Amino acid sequence: MEQEESARLARMTVSELDDFLRRPPSGFSVESTPLRSVVRGDPDTSLLLADPCDTSAGSVVFHGSLGRSVTLTDLWQYSDFRRSLVTKNIFMLVATRLPQCTEVAKRYVVCVRGADPVVRWHMEAGLDWTISSVAGESYEVEVDLTDALNMWATHNMTGIKPEWVDSSFTLKYHSDPLFDFPHWLGFSKRKFKLRLS
């Protein structure tokens, strides 16, 4: 049971943004000026899905990031992005806020190991379940990490459990808009929670 728990926790790491900027992981570099920090990762091993953010120490930009909303327009782009999701380390910028609060309390960088067999299986199963036909219709798929982050918080945070903000990313596939009635009517918007066990 203990081995199972440590394997699950190894599938995702969570670092406070300040710590990440001070001590970037292997394959990352940070260039800082008084007004902004630019984070660069290795595109061969890392998939960056982080939007820029403003902090008290200046803005933070993830160079080469696709952002939390990724738009694809053809089958090749979709196949390439899907392959990246299950072979690379996925890095996202998330935040917390206290219950009943609107302001961000703290920002974190989350790394999900897409090549881990369990993560890969759940990612592929979720995409297969939510996407019925790639070539013929437009769709949006939201991949939600909230449950995984809540599980992490149970083992790593004390006191009041925060609410997670920006804890998902969205894949948007745009087909021919003239014939895509399900997308117009909102039937092609799906969501699945990524599980780590």
Side-chain angles (χ1 to χ4, degrees):
M1 186 69 174
E2 197 172 302
Q3 278 183 327
E4 217 175 273
E5 183 64 18
S6 60
R8 186 182 55 74
L9 293 173
R11 292 177 185 124
M12 181 179 78
T13 56
V14 182
S15 309
E16 288 188 27
L17 177 59
D18 291 342
D19 291 340
F20 185 93
L21 296 175
R22 275 195 299 270
R23 293 181 297 277
S26 176
F28 279 81
S29 65
V30 178
E31 300 166 12
S32 294
T33 67
L35 296 178
R36 108 179 168 156
S37 296
V38 178
V39 179
R40 297 177 190 276
D42 180 358
D44 292 332
T45 59
S46 303
L47 177 62
L48 302 178
L49 302 176
D51 291 332
C53 71
D54 292 320
T55 69
S56 57
S59 64
V60 178
V61 176
F62 287 77
H63 179 77
S65 172
L66 301 176
R68 287 182 42 252
S69 181
V70 180
T71 301
L72 310 170
T73 57
D74 61 46
L75 188 55
W76 182 88
Q77 287 179 338
Y78 168 78
S79 299
D80 188 54
F81 183 70
R82 180 171 172 142
R83 186 170 41 256
S84 293
L85 287 174
V86 297
T87 58
K88 298 181 180 182
N89 292 330
I90 305 162
F91 286 85
M92 288 178 54
L93 184 62
V94 302
T96 58
R97 63 183 174 209
L98 296 175
Q100 312 302 321
C101 237
T102 56
E103 292 182 16
V104 166
K106 204 170 272 191
R107 295 186 190 278
Y108 296 86
V109 177
V110 176
C111 171
V112 176
R113 287 165 181 68
D116 179 274
V118 172
V119 175
R120 182 181 184 126
W121 188 89
H122 283 291
M123 184 71 77
E124 289 180 335
L127 291 173
D128 289 345
W129 172 74
T130 55
I131 301 167
S132 57
S133 168
V134 172
E137 66 181 72
S138 298
Y139 58 81
E140 292 181 18
V141 178
E142 182 181 356
V143 182
D144 188 2
L145 300 178
T146 305
D147 286 354
L149 288 166
N150 283 333
M151 188 68 73
W152 176 86
T154 299
H155 293 89
N156 294 281
M157 291 180 160
T158 55
I160 299 172
K161 295 297 181 266
E163 291 178 15
W164 294 97
V165 182
D166 298 335
S167 57
S168 65
F169 65 90
T170 303
L171 162 64
K172 298 178 180 179
Y173 184 88
H174 288 181
S175 184
D176 188 339
L178 294 176
F179 301 102
D180 205 352
F181 301 111
H183 187 66
W184 290 355
L185 300 172
F187 295 135
S188 55
K189 293 183 180 179
R190 306 274 176 81
K191 176 178 181 175
F192 73 91
K193 294 179 184 292
L194 183 63
R195 297 182 55 205
L196 302 181
S197 58

